[in-house]
Amino acid sequence: MEENNNKKITIADVAKLAGVSKGTVDRVLHDRGGVSRKSMEKIRQVIDELGYEPNVYASMLATRRDHSIACILPESEKDDYWYLVREGFEKGGENISSMNISTRLFYYDQYSPESFRKACLQMLETNPSGVVLPPFFKNDTYTLVNSLVLRNIPYVYVDAKLEDDNYFAYYGMPMYKSGYLCAHLLTLRTQPKHLKGVLVVRIIRDKMRQSDPTINRRSGFLDYMAENFPSSVIHNVFIDPHDVRDTESQLKSFFKSHPDIRHVVMFNSRVHLLVDFLSRNPDPDRVVMGFDNLEKNISALRNGQISGLICQHTDLQSYNAVMALSDYIIKHRRPERRDNFMHMDILTALNADNY
């Protein structure tokens, strides 16, 4: 009996229990079609029950096809948020390179819908086996994923996701909850009567405002504030991330008009853009919250210009996306969960060195 338990499961075992031929099992394993839905479901049920693991290399060889996983990302420089996402994708690519699966990156200007559309067309021309993407421009992303669905190409959202019915998986923060948590942390030690208002610093994006990647996070934040500080006014200041002088001018003008406001938040990874102004205009009662473990943010946290960060291991989003798609390409195995939410890690000056 012990020998049977340790015996390696074969295609013949699957075929026998499913009541089909080995060739039919092979067609299902390699997604060649020509098998009835009833037989396919029976075969997959037997595979799950037996725990059958096809040989990875034999499986890839049998498909007689080179596979690729594409990733569409905003252009970035070292230590930027999107550079960390890129590193995770590249690390995943290194892990699967021996499996006859290549990876390729397509870049675009995150402030230009036209650039995004061009990158999408270039990517589609390569006919990838899977795609990893953050949904930057909502309408254009829907156009892209509709094309992927028509071509039967699975796609994985990272960083944020759109509410559509066809995405293969999502790896990233629970965006709404992260905004709700941010509001809680920002106001944790504040009585409602002492909260004079909140400054939300936002990035100027494309002229048509098609890109709003933190909208769900902002919704969570606003809902928490409405529930717990209903009389508090939320102010928005938009800054150009490439214009330091303009940022300085915008902040200086705001605080001159609202000297009592001491709660400041940014919902993206660029809270470090406020550091120069905050350093020159210190306020021991000011509370500043931001997101993501960029080195510039961590440094500001250590130095006391930022009160807290909500972080995740950013590179794991894209790394896990690549591994999930490769598992599907090789073994036709889907992730256990469609939505794979990253841990929301709360960093302060006291624990930043250990992250």
Side-chain angles (χ1 to χ4, degrees), residues 35 40 70 81 138 154 250:
V35 180
M40 188 181 301
Y81 176 84
K138 183 177 180 180
Q250 293 280 359

Side-chain angles (χ1 to χ4, degrees), residues 5 16 41 48 71 86 110 151 184 195 208 212 218 224 243 249 267 279 327 332 344:
N5 288 339
K16 183 177 179 180
E41 290 176 352
D48 289 341
C71 183
R86 168 186 165 182
Q110 64 176 288
R151 299 179 184 213
H184 172 72
L195 187 65
M208 301 301 294
D212 194 355
R218 194 163 68 250
Y224 181 94
D243 191 334
S249 174
F267 296 127
S279 298
D327 211 30
H332 302 285
M344 293 187 289

Side-chain angles (χ1 to χ4, degrees), residues 169-213:
Y170 167 64
Y171 292 91
M173 275 193 191
M175 293 295 280
Y176 179 89
K177 287 185 177 180
S178 70
Y180 201 88
L181 173 62
C182 181
H184 172 72
L185 296 173
L186 184 72
T187 59
L188 189 59
R189 298 180 180 178
T190 306
Q191 296 295 323
K193 63 181 179 180
H194 294 147
L195 187 65
K196 304 302 182 182
V198 174
L199 169 61
V200 177
V201 182
R202 298 170 61 181
I203 297 293
I204 298 173
R205 296 191 177 275
D206 62 290
K207 294 180 180 179
M208 301 301 294
R209 297 192 177 183
Q210 295 182 43
S211 171
D212 194 355

